[in-house]
Amino acid sequence: MLSFACQRMGALGVGISEAALKAVLGEPHRKLPPADNATSYVYFLGKADQLPYLAAVVKANRVVALQISGPAPVATYSFNQVNLGDSTEKLMARFGGPFHVGPSGLEKTELWTYEPWPFSFEVRQDRVTSIRIADPTVGAK
């Protein structure tokens, strides 16, 4: 049960079907070209082409990763009681310190990973700016 909870972001979860994703969010605002037999769908949750957005990676008709990004909370897409905009203090109270901290690829932003657990956070100025959950084994067959 705990592993199932860890794979959920609001009403969505890693492993749900592409049809279930589209039933909740509709057609994506953007569909990125396939890579490694997976396609990324981008949904803007406010204004078009602006934060916050949710990205879903779909492979073999299953969601294999979900990522929410933006500076402020999006109540319906928290991850285990951690939301965008939360402090690193709250993040560490919930999950402990990260197992690895490195650059995220975004300016002045760190990537906090908790491997072997399938989730990570981007942190900027001591605030969560992105949450990603994944399971590369879903949809592998």
Side-chain angles (χ1 to χ4, degrees):
M1 198 63 168
L2 180 59
S3 63
F4 178 73
C6 285
Q7 294 296 89
R8 302 214 45 92
M9 187 176 286
L12 303 175
V14 171
I16 66 170
S17 69
E18 180 178 357
L21 172 72
K22 289 180 176 180
V24 173
L25 295 174
E27 288 297 320
H29 298 114
R30 286 205 184 134
K31 190 174 178 181
L32 303 179
D36 290 333
N37 297 318
T39 301
S40 294
Y41 295 156
V42 178
Y43 296 90
F44 294 100
L45 303 175
K47 295 181 180 180
D49 298 322
Q50 293 184 11
L51 296 171
Y53 70 84
L54 183 133
V57 179
V58 176
K59 185 174 185 177
N61 297 315
R62 293 278 173 211
V63 172
V64 297
L66 291 167
Q67 182 170 344
I68 183 98
S69 297
V74 180
T76 54
Y77 296 104
S78 66
F79 169 67
N80 287 314
Q81 301 173 6
V82 173
N83 208 330
L84 297 176
D86 283 348
S87 68
T88 53
E89 184 178 301
K90 180 177 180 182
L91 175 60
M92 288 193 295
R94 185 72 179 142
F95 292 106
F99 297 168
H100 181 264
V101 175
S104 79
L106 299 174
E107 188 177 331
K108 298 179 183 177
T109 303
E110 296 176 333
L111 177 63
W112 289 23
T113 58
Y114 288 83
E115 287 184 33
W117 309 113
F119 53 84
S120 62
F121 303 87
E122 286 181 324
V123 172
R124 183 176 185 174
Q125 298 177 336
D126 296 321
R127 295 280 170 198
V128 174
T129 58
S130 187
I131 303 167
R132 185 174 196 278
I133 57 175
D135 184 352
T137 65
V138 174
K141 293 182 181 181

